[in-house]
Amino acid sequence: MSKHEEQQAPASLGTRLVRGATSGRARAIMSGGIVLGLGAVGTLAAWTDNATATSGVFSTGSIEMKLNGDPGDPTAYGFTALTKTGMMPGDSVTATLPVQNTGAAQFKYTMAATATGEAALAPFMKVTVLDQSCTTPIAGPVGLSTTAATPIITTGRQLAANTGSETLCFKVALDTGVLSAQQNKSINVSFQFAATTA
């Protein structure tokens, strides 16, 4: 048998795998595996985006009560028109007082009164609040006290924002049942107004 006619032994399994691995298709599969393997080991970058919304302005309003154009706080408005000396039983005095809302919101207001001076005389001084014409009662008559504020306008009266206004008429009368021991005594009265948006 000549050299050229030698029979070659069948290739072993390992040899066939090596030959198969060198084929084009096998190389493509292996290189794909390498790429996938590298992708699994590394981290993938994520795309992100952000957006922001900004609101308009939020601001607070105000309520501002004035008595005849005077804020009455921290210094009390001098309601000097409401005064009378030498009163006898049954005597009275009236005076008007404008109440105004110059703030940016409507409000309701109430009013109480506190007397200072002769404690025994205070209950005999009766306060009535009437409309601007001093004819239609709004609240009272109510006797006063020197020890606590006496509520007079208890149902809130509404005033519109900015230009809301009403004029009240105050009447103070000496009760006919006042005792003679109260001669030559005196009191003065503080009217406390309270406004609220509620």
Side-chain angles (χ1 to χ4, degrees):
M1 198 190 258
S2 72
K3 281 190 206 178
H4 297 291
E5 292 179 348
E6 282 181 17
Q7 276 192 334
Q8 295 182 352
S12 68
L13 179 61
T15 304
R16 282 181 291 181
L17 284 176
V18 169
R19 281 185 195 151
T22 59
S23 73
R25 183 173 166 194
R27 282 195 298 268
I29 292 171
M30 287 196 311
S31 64
I34 292 169
V35 171
L36 290 175
L38 290 174
V41 172
T43 57
L44 296 175
W47 289 357
T48 62
D49 193 9
N50 296 291
T52 302
T54 302
S55 77
V57 174
F58 299 98
S59 63
T60 58
S62 66
I63 59 171
E64 179 70 30
M65 179 188 296
K66 290 188 178 180
L67 304 175
N68 199 26
D70 189 296
D73 181 50
T75 303
Y77 168 68
F79 190 20
T80 55
L82 190 64
T83 186
K84 188 173 179 68
T85 59
M87 293 180 76
M88 302 299 287
D91 283 354
S92 65
V93 61
T94 59
T96 58
L97 180 65
V99 182
Q100 300 140 336
N101 178 0
T102 59
Q106 70 176 17
F107 63 67
K108 290 183 178 181
Y109 73 90
T110 56
M111 189 268 292
T114 305
T116 55
E118 181 59 38
L121 176 60
F124 295 102
M125 286 292 185
K126 306 291 185 179
V127 175
T128 304
V129 179
L130 306 105
D131 66 355
Q132 183 173 356
S133 66
C134 296
T135 56
T136 304
I138 293 171
V142 177
L144 300 176
S145 170
T146 58
T147 59
T150 302
I152 298 178
I153 299 176
T154 56
T155 300
R157 298 184 65 79
Q158 186 166 298
L159 291 181
N162 300 314
T163 57
S165 176
E166 72 172 341
T167 298
L168 302 178
C169 178
F170 287 77
K171 177 181 177 181
V172 179
L174 180 58
D175 192 275
T176 55
V178 64
L179 304 176
S180 58
Q182 298 311 311
Q183 295 179 80
N184 297 315
K185 307 292 183 182
S186 64
I187 62 166
N188 64 351
V189 184
S190 171
F191 298 100
Q192 299 100 35
F193 290 80
T196 178
T197 57

